[in-house]
Every structure is written in structure tokens, then in C-alpha cells.
Amino acid sequence: MSRAIAMLLGAMVAAAPFSALAAEPDGDEEIEEETDLRPADAETWSDPDLDVDYPQRSHLSFRAVGGGGLRAVHSTLIGGAEAELSLGADTKRGSFLGSLHVFGGRTEGGLPVGHFTFGPTLAWQLGLVSIGPKLRIGYFWIDRVTSDDPIDALTVGGAAALTVDLHRNEGFAVALNGELRADALLPFFEIFDDQGTTGLWGASLGLQIRLRAPRRTPPRTASVQ
Amino acid sequence: MFFALMSIGARGVGERELECEEAAVRLQDCCDDFDPTTMSCAYEWSCGGDGDLEPSLRTSTAECIQGLSCEELNASGVCHLLLLMEEPEEDEVRHPGSLDDVFAEVCS
């Protein structure tokens, strides 16, 4: 899992130059070739798509969510903290991202619990509100006190997310994030045994930070004639 | 990555296993010197049933234990019986039997 997070962070670092380049105008010749804008226009051009619901051109998008959540498996309640990192694109048809999600907590009795998942995240913005599904596969475990082997399962499921923007400016947004989630806990070796197959239900509440990277050049349709 | 997850060999989350582990935590918290590793909460299923292994507590017994206070567990004497169970089965008269037997009276 740490390797996957490192890869995600690596991808973010690789994307950082796109943001930095937005603040630096290209040479005069390149600007004239691409946009027909005079240098002064290019220097003052700022991406108008940064804060709209659906940008005309695709933008690199990064999202991070942190918060707390409850889970229920059989009759046992689990409380814990969770975090999710997503990287993808905001497009004119919605946002499409790949995500890594981590949950850590304890059962009512105090047994440590972990759950990590990954999968696609989709989101559609409707003004201040965003909704979208998440599909996830992953691994869930509960540590035992009677032995070192955990109670564990593969998970297949998803979540429905709702966010409400608290702040949005220049591609940076902070939102309240709520989710309802459901996963099937599947045994691998005893897949036909009813004993180990069950559902994991949950709800989460947290804060979301969104970053939409600006494009370095104006769209061609914005050329000055 | 999914196949990497499959290779972990997850066995699923059984209700009886989970309730048994939760009960073991309760006993560990309430009964001094009780070693939860002397209990078995594992469930293993095998073709033909020869190697079947079941948790040593029934679900109803495990739920009962979780509902008892430390005072109730100590006053009922079950903590003392649990320590006796950890000893070798030399004295059949004194040995309390299975875990479900130990809690039969308290949870009846």
C-alpha cells in the first residue's frame, strides 16, 4: 500500500510543473503561434475554467479527503479515521479520478481494524454540491487477540459521495464530504462457505480539498482576431 | 494488484469468529492473568469435515460475555475457572470443561 501511495505522490509531483508553468508566460513566438495573442494578453491571461463546474478543456485534478467514519459488520460497530487520495481529470462531462482509500479504527471491544481500497471515483458538480459514485476493491482485516492471524477478507463494493463546497477560488476548493458505503466481505479460500461472506456497511464524514491545475495556454477558440 | 490481494488468502469475516474475539478482549480486560491465546476463535472449514475447526465459544455465549461487567464476571467465578482451564487437564474433577460449560450458568 505504501508503494501505491508513493506512486500516487510521484504522479502528483510529476504534475506540479504544469501548475508552475501557468504562472510563466512562454516566449513571444510560441504564444503567437499557438494563440495569436499579443504577449501582453498572454501574460495577463488567467484560466477561466478553474472555478467553473465543467471546464471546457480537461484539467488535471487532485483531491484529498480526511475524516472519520463508522462501519458495521454483523452486529459489531467499528469507529475510526480515514483518508483518501485521488488523481484524475476534471472534464466538461464530469470528474474522473483514480483513488486510494485507507480506514483505520477499532471495534467496540477494542480490536484494531484496517481497510484499504482502490478504484475509480466519478463526480458531477451541481453548483456548490457534488455527487458521484465510487467503485472499490480492497482488503479488510481485524486483528485477533487469540492469535497472530487476522480475521480478513477481500472486499468489493462502493460508495455514494456528496460534497458541499465551503470555499472555491482559483482552482482550490474546500468542501464538506459525506459518504455512504457498502462492501461485500469475501473469503478467498472458502468462497462457497456462507460463514465468511457478509456485508460491511458504513458512513463517513470529513473535509475534502480539491486542486484543479490551470492550463498553461488559452484555448485556440479564445484567439484574438 | 487485485491478484496480489487474492494471494493474501483472506478467509472471510465470520460472525462466530468475530464475536468470540470480542468476548476474548472482554475477558482479557476483566480477568487478571487471563491469557487470550489459550482460547481458539478460529474457524476453518475443510472438504469432508475432518479438519474442521470452530471457535470455542458459541455466538450467543460470546455476546453474553460482552454484555457482562467486569464485576459480574469476577463475582460469578468464571475468571477463576478460566485460569483453571489454562492448566493441564490432570484433575478431571476440578477441570471445568469447555468454555461454553464455564459460562453456561452465568449466561443461562
Side-chain angles (χ1 to χ4, degrees), chain A residues 81-168:
Chain A
E82 51 196 311
E84 183 173 270
L85 296 176
S86 305
L87 187 66
D90 293 335
T91 76
K92 59 186 175 184
R93 290 186 175 83
S95 297
F96 305 91
L97 307 104
S99 302
L100 280 173
H101 181 268
V102 180
F103 173 89
R106 286 188 180 275
T107 65
E108 294 167 277
L111 296 170
V113 178
H115 190 195
F116 76 82
T117 61
F118 61 95
T121 294
L122 285 71
W124 292 279
Q125 195 78 30
L126 307 165
L128 293 178
V129 175
S130 165
I131 57 171
K134 301 178 173 187
L135 300 176
R136 296 286 182 267
I137 58 174
Y139 176 66
F140 174 85
W141 74 95
I142 301 174
D143 284 344
R144 297 176 187 266
V145 288
T146 60
S147 73
D148 292 333
D149 293 330
I151 300 173
D152 57 358
L154 303 176
T155 70
V156 178
L162 174 82
T163 69
V164 179
D165 284 1
L166 304 174
H167 170 81
R168 199 198 296 188

Side-chain angles (χ1 to χ4, degrees), chain A residues 73-76 107 109 111 116 118 137-139 142 144-146 151-154 187-190 193 195-196 198, chain B residues 1-2 5-6 8-15 17-19 21-22 24-25 28 36-37 39 41-43 45 63:
Chain A
V73 55
H74 297 298
S75 58
T76 299
T107 65
L111 296 170
F116 76 82
F118 61 95
I137 58 174
Y139 176 66
I142 301 174
R144 297 176 187 266
V145 288
T146 60
I151 300 173
D152 57 358
L154 303 176
F188 177 56
F189 285 131
E190 289 115 1
D193 177 16
Q195 196 276 152
T198 188
Chain B
M1 191 166 179
F2 182 68
L5 286 175
M6 291 176 78
I8 292 171
R11 292 182 175 276
V13 180
E15 182 176 20
E17 280 186 293
L18 181 55
E19 296 295 347
E21 292 289 345
E22 291 275 89
V25 173
Q28 185 183 31
T37 61
M39 283 176 61
C41 289
Y43 179 95
W45 173 86
E63 288 175 339

Side-chain angles (χ1 to χ4, degrees), chain A residues 65 82 84 101 134 159-162 177-181 202-205:
Chain A
V65 178
E82 51 196 311
E84 183 173 270
H101 181 268
K134 301 178 173 187
L162 174 82
N177 184 83
E179 294 180 14
L180 293 175
R181 59 182 64 243
S204 309
L205 191 63

Side-chain angles (χ1 to χ4, degrees), chain B residues 78-99:
Chain B
V78 293
C79 287
H80 177 66
L81 290 174
L82 287 173
L83 293 178
L84 289 180
M85 287 191 69
E86 294 175 12
E87 296 175 2
E89 203 165 339
E90 293 173 352
D91 184 350
E92 291 185 1
V93 176
R94 193 183 63 167
H95 203 273
S98 72
L99 269 180

Side-chain angles (χ1 to χ4, degrees), chain A residues 22 24-27 31 35 37-46 216 218:
Chain A
E24 299 174 8
D26 294 326
I31 291 170
T35 68
L37 288 176
R38 288 171 296 175
D41 295 327
E43 287 173 8
T44 57
W45 186 82
S46 64
R216 56 189 293 198

